[in-house]
Amino acid sequence: MDRDKVLRKVLDHIDNSKDEIISFLRDLIRIPSVTGEERGIQEFIASKLKDWGLGYDMWFIDEAELSKHPLAEKVKLPYKDRPMLVGIVKGCGGGRSLAFNGHIDVIPPGPLSSWKFDPFGGVIDGYRIYGRGASDMKSGVAAYTMAAKLLLEADVHPLGNVYLHYVIDEEYSSNGTLAALLRGYVADGAVNAEASDMEVQPAVSGSMWFKIKVRGKTASMSRVWEGVNVIEQAYKVYDAVKKLYEIRVSEKKHPLYPDNRGVLALFIGMFNAGSYPSAIPDEAELRGRMGLLPGESIVDAISELRDFILKYSMLDPWLKYNPPEIVQEGYAGEGVEVPMDHPIVSTIVNAYTSALGVKPIVKGHEGATDMRILMKMNIPTVCFGPGTITQMHAYNEWVDLRNVVNAVKVMATMIIDWCGFLD
């Protein structure tokens, strides 16, 4: 059977399986897999894969072994009782392999009073399903799981291997994805199914946290004029950070980020000073986040931030002789991108067009994803998923169910076109 007939058969089967797709996503949302508590959802998915006749591998990360790799990150929560899982569709042979990558952990829901519906209820209202993880990123996980399952049900078998990553700990680190790759679940190409608003995203931005220490001079409350209130000085540094953001937005350009204000987000998120209401504070600590375009290194970014603040401080009579200390501390992930002319990009663009009848929007992803690890492990990757980035970590998080079904169609088509098929 030729490709178009095979594709039509698969797309029709997906249309006839909408209720099953939605039901599976709802089941995932109803399992409260907050980071550190992933075992239940992993066992549930593994049981489904077994029922459907798909292969899988479940194991526990060896922290000591993982820590030897240069891309490994600090472990915040022990990995005991937190299994990793990879679904396996064994290819018939002769085709390219493909990995779908996604995480199954979610952030805590926060106060229930902030939610319209139960955050782990999977409530459907119109075309939306609500719940923690609906967009970030159980909808993406559900989509590629069902794409593989329904493709095989339609009696279409890929020539290349297909791996379905279900990784833990992503909200804290990329160690889950790294562990899956080190176990051998690498491929000729990959789709990171993070929330992309159904856009094809060949690039993801970077992000860096930083800390700034500012000093003043304390004095008695009866000699306030002898002191230098560090809060006033720290606000000058705050202003410098704000000005650098404006300059970077004006000067930094990238074709996949036509509106660069979000990707370059640079701000102070924490401001701590003082220890007593009637004492002039002499030390402040500011912590913030700096967004990076693909191609910007962490070393260059912290140097740019440090140089700008220090030059800005030279104009101030106090800060000139008491310069702030600026260091990178905490999260540091560089942006990555796959060339626009790479086959992984053209294949998913064509798959989208074939499956949905329209061309996709091609843009960069604002924010870090595990696509960074896949690319650094030499696996060409694109970000594509049904979740919407505006709902990531939001109260009343939701995803459009129409996008979930459409993502299944695109991903199934991607398997056909990338891996080849036997029917």
Side-chain angles (χ1 to χ4, degrees):
M1 191 180 294
D2 64 31
R3 182 261 191 187
D4 290 343
K5 289 182 179 179
V6 166
L7 181 58
R8 186 70 266 156
K9 178 174 68 168
V10 171
L11 297 179
D12 286 345
H13 184 49
I14 293 171
D15 277 329
N16 293 330
S17 304
K18 290 179 181 178
D19 290 345
E20 184 182 3
I21 294 168
I22 294 169
S23 178
F24 180 63
L25 172 56
R26 187 183 230 178
D27 288 341
L28 295 183
I29 292 172
R30 286 175 168 173
I31 301 174
S33 54
V34 174
T35 307
E37 303 171 10
E38 300 101 334
R39 184 164 193 151
I41 195 169
Q42 296 289 58
E43 291 177 343
F44 171 78
I45 296 172
S47 70
K48 287 293 186 179
L49 296 177
K50 182 179 180 180
D51 290 345
W52 298 333
L54 275 69
Y56 68 89
D57 180 19
M58 183 182 285
W59 76 98
F60 293 96
I61 296 174
D62 184 329
E63 293 181 25
E65 193 64 28
L66 183 73
S67 66
K68 298 175 183 178
H69 196 279
L71 292 176
E73 300 170 43
K74 184 178 180 180
V75 176
K76 295 184 179 180
L77 293 174
Y79 293 144
K80 182 181 178 181
D81 295 326
R82 302 170 62 193
M84 283 283 298
L85 178 65
V86 171
I88 304 167
V89 179
K90 188 69 175 177
C92 302
R96 294 177 293 194
S97 56
L98 181 65
F100 288 98
N101 174 264
H103 64 89
I104 47 76
D105 61 316
V106 300
I107 69 164
L112 298 183
S113 59
S114 297
W115 285 79
K116 180 180 179 182
F117 303 111
D118 179 354
F120 298 113
V123 174
I124 296 174
D125 186 18
Y127 289 110
R128 295 179 178 180
I129 186 169
Y130 288 82
R132 175 57 79 219
S135 270
D136 182 22
M137 60 169 289
K138 291 182 177 180
S139 55
V141 168
Y144 63 68
T145 304
M146 296 306 294
K149 188 249 188 189
L150 296 176
L151 188 73
L152 295 178
E153 274 188 359
D155 204 25
V156 177
H157 302 271
L159 299 181
N161 293 337
V162 179
Y163 299 120
L164 312 174
H165 295 174
Y166 305 97
V167 310
I168 66 169
D169 206 53
E170 190 272 350
E171 297 294 355
Y172 283 176
S173 76
S174 294
N175 285 343
T177 291
L178 179 61
L181 300 178
L182 293 179
R183 196 165 173 90
Y185 298 113
V186 298
D188 297 315
V191 176
N192 174 242
E194 278 280 13
S196 80
D197 291 281
M198 294 294 287
E199 296 173 356
V200 171
Q201 298 176 333
V204 296
S205 61
S207 180
M208 177 192 76
W209 292 0
F210 58 85
K211 180 176 73 173
I212 305 173
K213 184 175 286 187
V214 187
R215 290 185 173 83
K217 179 183 177 183
T218 192
S220 168
M221 60 182 179
S222 64
R223 293 291 186 270
V224 64
W225 56 89
E226 295 178 357
V228 178
N229 193 318
V230 74
I231 293 176
E232 296 178 20
Q233 305 307 316
Y235 268 112
K236 296 173 185 177
V237 176
Y238 171 92
D239 191 53
V241 172
K242 187 176 179 181
K243 283 182 167 56
L244 178 59
Y245 170 62
E246 294 168 354
I247 291 171
R248 282 173 58 81
V249 167
S250 174
E251 295 181 352
K252 302 284 185 179
K253 306 297 179 185
H254 191 288
L256 290 174
Y257 297 94
D259 182 350
N260 61 359
R261 293 172 297 175
V263 67
L264 291 174
L266 168 59
F267 56 89
I268 300 298
M270 297 175 66
F271 190 134
N272 297 304
S275 59
Y276 195 73
S278 59
I280 296 174
D282 64 347
E283 189 170 290
E285 183 179 277
L286 284 66
R287 291 177 181 264
R289 184 262 191 193
M290 184 176 187
L292 313 177
L293 288 172
E296 289 191 276
S297 72
I298 298 297
V299 172
D300 290 344
I302 192 63
S303 294
E304 181 181 357
L305 179 66
R306 183 183 296 114
D307 292 348
F308 186 86
I309 292 174
L310 293 180
K311 287 179 181 178
Y312 190 87
S313 299
M314 290 296 292
L315 303 175
D316 183 83
W318 175 261
L319 294 176
K320 178 177 181 178
Y321 298 103
N322 301 274
E325 298 175 13
I326 304 105
V327 297
Q328 190 282 313
E329 185 174 286
Y331 183 84
E334 295 174 349
V336 294
E337 61 182 319
V338 65
M340 286 292 293
D341 60 355
H342 193 282
I344 195 72
V345 179
S346 58
T347 302
I348 195 167
V349 167
N350 291 335
Y352 187 109
T353 305
S354 296
L356 305 182
V358 293
K359 291 184 178 181
I361 295 172
V362 180
K363 288 173 59 179
H365 184 86
E366 294 181 4
T369 80
D370 278 1
M371 177 175 164
R372 175 176 65 90
I373 298 298
L374 291 155
M375 289 286 291
K376 286 184 177 291
M377 294 289 281
N378 299 313
I379 302 174
T381 306
V382 290
C383 183
F384 172 78
T388 173
I389 195 170
T390 63
Q391 292 301 305
M392 294 175 70
H393 298 186
Y395 295 130
N396 298 307
E397 183 180 351
W398 56 267
V399 69
D400 191 315
L401 291 169
R402 294 168 295 187
N403 284 345
V404 178
V405 174
N406 283 339
V408 175
K409 293 180 179 181
V410 174
M411 291 172 176
T413 308
M414 179 72 178
I415 296 172
I416 291 171
D417 290 348
W418 181 263
C419 302
F421 65 91
L422 183 68
D423 73 300

